Amino acid sequence: MTSIPKQELEYHYTPSRWSHRMGPQQVLESHVKVTSDGTSEAKRCLEVKAGISYGSTDKQKLDVYSRKNSAGKKGSPIFVYIHGGYWQEKVVNRENAGFLAQPLAAAGATVIPIGYELCPDVSLDEIVSEVKKAVCFIIELAKKRQASGVYLCGHSAGAHLAAMMLTDCQDDGELIKGAVLVSGVYDLRPLVKTSVNDALKLTEGDAWRLSPGNVVKDIASRSVDRDILIAVGEHDSPEFHRQSTELEESLRDSGVRTLYMDLLDTDHFNVIERLREPSYSLTKECLRMMKL
């Protein structure tokens, strides 16, 4: 649990205030533009099946990106991306989550960003259930394609959701071969005392129940054969560094194969934006994990 005083938590859990590149509003606007432009470029260069429903609501959809003329190729790994936005920001969504697809698809992966409903329209419990439904849908696709594995990647709130998928997602969970958790929140209790919780409406008990940090033993027992990469930006706040470090240490101490990356000259936003670059160290690690 954090030692940060309550009156300072808002500052520490507002990632836009920690960027070394630009001011809070600028960095948010830039993030939306970079990810939107990157997604548009990926759609021009790759084969895309967009808006595939995995559930009954408008946001319960996913997109499938693959190298042209390779859609449905048997044996390729599937890289699932879960976007962030504190489970509530409408401008960060599936429609601009394809920005990272190009270098991964070029190397042979199928890249699948997923969407989900947001708070306060639904509860965080419901979001976790929706993402589980999406991952189950993708695992069925993986079995049909005889994929070499499913690899989960999440950023910020998406990293929390990806981590939660490493517990009791489904009977075929052994198809999940690895996870890339980027600048995530793994103990939700500090958020209860911030404005983030205005939409989430979590009690402290709910926050801990829905925290990956509370289910480390469950994650570890199901992740004996998985690789888990935990990354954070150099200019993420101390709280994001603490959360990432503590989860990595807990998993490693529980026998999980982990890799921790503190990515230089990145903040909470370009730490994930740069996955569109083939030469970026995190991109290279994702490819190495998938054996591409």
Side-chain angles (χ1 to χ4, degrees), residues 6-257:
K6 179 180 177 180
Q7 62 270 24
E8 295 179 24
L9 286 174
E10 188 77 24
Y11 177 56
H12 280 265
Y13 283 96
T14 306
S16 60
R17 297 177 70 175
W18 292 83
S19 174
H20 62 305
R21 299 177 296 134
M22 54 190 82
Q25 189 59 35
Q26 286 176 304
V27 79
L28 290 171
E29 291 171 357
S30 173
H31 182 62
V32 173
K33 185 178 189 321
V34 167
T35 55
S36 297
D37 290 350
T39 300
S40 296
E41 184 179 351
K43 286 180 176 177
R44 286 194 300 271
C45 298
L46 300 172
E47 189 167 316
V48 187
K49 293 182 180 177
I52 299 170
S53 294
Y54 68 82
S56 59
T57 70
D58 185 56
K59 288 188 173 64
Q60 291 180 44
K61 293 179 180 177
L62 52 84
D63 301 332
V64 179
Y65 291 78
S66 53
R67 195 166 48 196
K68 287 190 174 177
N69 303 316
S70 69
K73 182 180 177 183
K74 290 186 177 181
S76 358
I78 293 177
F79 190 87
V80 180
Y81 180 63
I82 308 172
H83 68 78
Y86 265 150
W87 311 275
Q88 62 192 275
E89 293 294 340
K90 291 181 172 60
V91 294
V92 182
N93 50 51
R94 170 185 60 83
E95 287 87 345
N96 56 25
F99 65 93
L100 46 65
Q102 274 201 82
L104 304 176
T110 298
V111 180
I112 305 183
I114 67 173
Y116 50 89
E117 294 294 329
L118 301 174
C119 299
D121 296 337
V122 299
S123 68
L124 187 52
D125 271 297
E126 290 174 276
I127 290 174
V128 171
S129 294
E130 286 182 20
V131 175
K132 284 187 177 182
K133 184 186 292 186
V135 173
C136 289
F137 182 97
I138 292 166
I139 282 178
E140 289 303 310
L141 177 65
K143 288 194 288 188
K144 288 176 186 174
R145 295 187 176 189
Q146 299 175 21
S148 59
V150 174
Y151 297 82
L152 307 177
C153 176
H155 171 239
S156 197
H160 159 269
L161 293 169
M164 293 300 288
M165 298 305 105
L166 299 173
T167 57
D168 58 347
C169 193
Q170 58 282 309
D171 293 336
D172 296 306
E174 69 275 4
L175 280 173
I176 299 174
K177 302 296 186 183
V180 180
L181 310 177
V182 185
S183 293
V185 183
Y186 310 110
D187 179 351
L188 305 189
R189 290 174 294 179
L191 296 178
V192 174
K193 299 169 184 173
T194 73
S195 63
V196 173
N197 200 42
D198 292 349
L200 305 183
K201 297 178 171 50
L202 296 174
T203 65
E204 192 156 309
D206 289 334
W208 186 230
R209 177 175 56 81
L210 290 165
S211 292
N214 185 41
V215 289
V216 164
K217 288 184 179 178
D218 192 10
I219 293 173
S221 69
R222 297 168 189 273
S223 300
V224 175
D225 297 317
R226 292 172 178 159
D227 293 296
I228 299 182
L229 191 165
I230 297 176
V232 66
E234 178 187 7
H235 296 279
D236 261 311
S237 78
E239 276 294 277
F240 278 86
H241 278 267
R242 178 189 66 80
Q243 293 239 9
S244 295
T245 300
E246 288 184 359
L247 182 68
E248 190 274 331
E249 289 176 350
S250 296
L251 289 172
R252 176 162 39 89
D253 290 346
S254 300
V256 180
R257 290 195 304 268

